[in-house]
Amino acid sequence: MKELIKNSVPYRAYRKIRSKLIDGYTRPYKDKYDSSAMELVVETFGYKMAGRGIGLTENHRNILKYQNAHKGKRAFLIGNGPSLNQLDLTLLKDEVTIGVNSIYLNYEKMGFLPTHYVVEDNFVAEDRADEINRLKGTQKWFGNYLRYCLKPDDCTNWLNVRMRYDNYPDFPYFSTNAARQVFTGGSVTYVCMQLAYFFGIRELYLIGFDHHYIIPQEAEVEGLKITSTGDDPNHFHPDYFGKGKRWHDPMVDRMEQGYAKAGKFFERSGGKIRNATAGGKLEVFERVDYFSLFNK
């Protein structure tokens, strides 16, 4: 009976109308932060208007302030691989920087917080909520669905993240207008690349993109969820995903699809993404020596 209803003309018409009124894949954790259909209609409409340059709410207006805010500037997207420890990050103090997840654990070595800070993953948001909520001095960009555990302040921007991981054609989509939406693509850094494009950045350098992960034998693995029982070997700090912290199984092939897509969009607009990581296994982008980017 249910199958008949789903295949009926009225139901298909309803689904078509609903898809225009409500953005899909924006509430991935319905048990933690769900919304009524009407709330989603209002939310979708707000982001659609923001995409046209009209900010209906303070959040939308704040996001729009950053459209082309860094036009003509270069920026550094800071990954979190162990190779980060080989670089002098103090050189980035006056640069436009984008960091993610637990990058603040490197504050003492860096001497600053990144210009922009992004969280998309629910495990990171939940396990590090207290620390993230206390962060000051950086523009925060969070998936709108993380409101259940992350708290807003004057520097918080809630993004319309379309969290879709199925093998749809031309995976993953790339948004050139983050006021409207951004798409997931295997890593939070893919969201960052869309934000960088929105900021007007066309010269983007990656560091700390080691692009190689090991799952320790003693880790607790439950499907795609991994819970650490000891130090983290995959990041710049042993406590990054240290004991008791949860993380998702990294899928580097999916990440590479996203990175390649981002690279194409930057090149189409006369820009370039380059990899300034010290070593690592990411070969999607042209390599450049990190230290050569600074005046001696």
Side-chain angles (χ1 to χ4, degrees), residues 18 20-23 26-27 35-50 54 56-57 60 144 160 180:
R18 189 179 190 278
K20 292 183 180 298
L21 294 176
I22 298 176
D23 286 339
T26 57
R27 286 292 179 272
S35 303
S36 69
M38 183 53 66
E39 287 173 321
L40 289 175
V41 167
V42 171
E43 181 177 285
T44 298
F45 179 73
Y47 282 112
K48 284 183 176 179
M49 295 304 291
I54 302 170
L56 298 181
T57 69
H60 297 138
N144 194 36
N160 187 33
R180 170 68 183 95

Side-chain angles (χ1 to χ4, degrees), residues 52-209:
R52 296 175 183 175
I54 302 170
L56 298 181
T57 69
E58 184 178 3
N59 180 61
H60 297 138
R61 290 189 289 273
N62 287 340
I63 293 174
L64 286 168
K65 288 177 185 176
Y66 284 91
Q67 188 165 22
N68 292 320
H70 301 308
K71 189 174 183 178
K73 296 181 181 179
R74 69 179 185 177
F76 290 79
L77 175 48
I78 306 173
N80 296 312
S83 68
L84 215 56
N85 293 322
Q86 300 177 42
L87 304 180
D88 179 3
L89 300 178
T90 63
L91 295 172
L92 299 177
K93 186 174 182 181
D94 297 321
E95 301 280 350
V96 177
T97 51
I98 305 172
V100 303
N101 296 344
S102 301
I103 184 62
Y104 52 81
L105 294 176
N106 218 24
Y107 178 80
E108 287 189 11
K109 289 184 180 178
M110 294 168 60
F112 64 93
L113 288 175
T115 316
H116 301 280
Y117 169 73
V118 186
V119 177
E120 160 240 63
D121 188 281
N122 67 308
F123 288 164
V124 173
E126 291 173 6
D127 292 351
R128 298 281 190 182
D130 289 345
E131 297 166 6
I132 293 170
N133 288 332
R134 286 197 301 267
L135 277 183
K136 302 292 183 185
T138 180
Q139 279 295 314
K140 302 176 183 178
W141 301 85
F142 302 146
N144 194 36
Y145 49 82
L146 295 175
R147 288 176 181 266
Y148 70 92
C149 62
L150 299 183
K151 308 303 179 187
D153 59 25
D154 292 341
C155 294
T156 303
N157 306 282
W158 301 104
L159 292 169
N160 187 33
V161 178
R162 310 290 288 275
M163 187 170 279
R164 185 175 176 184
Y165 283 105
D166 58 301
N167 290 311
Y168 58 83
D170 200 30
F171 171 91
Y173 295 144
F174 185 93
S175 173
T176 59
N177 188 349
R180 170 68 183 95
Q181 61 197 351
V182 293
F183 298 96
T184 52
S187 167
V188 62
T189 52
Y190 186 66
V191 171
C192 294
M193 291 172 183
Q194 294 166 82
L195 278 172
Y197 192 100
F198 178 72
F199 297 154
I201 293 161
R202 295 296 180 268
E203 184 183 355
L204 183 63
Y205 295 97
L206 313 182
I207 59 173
F209 278 65

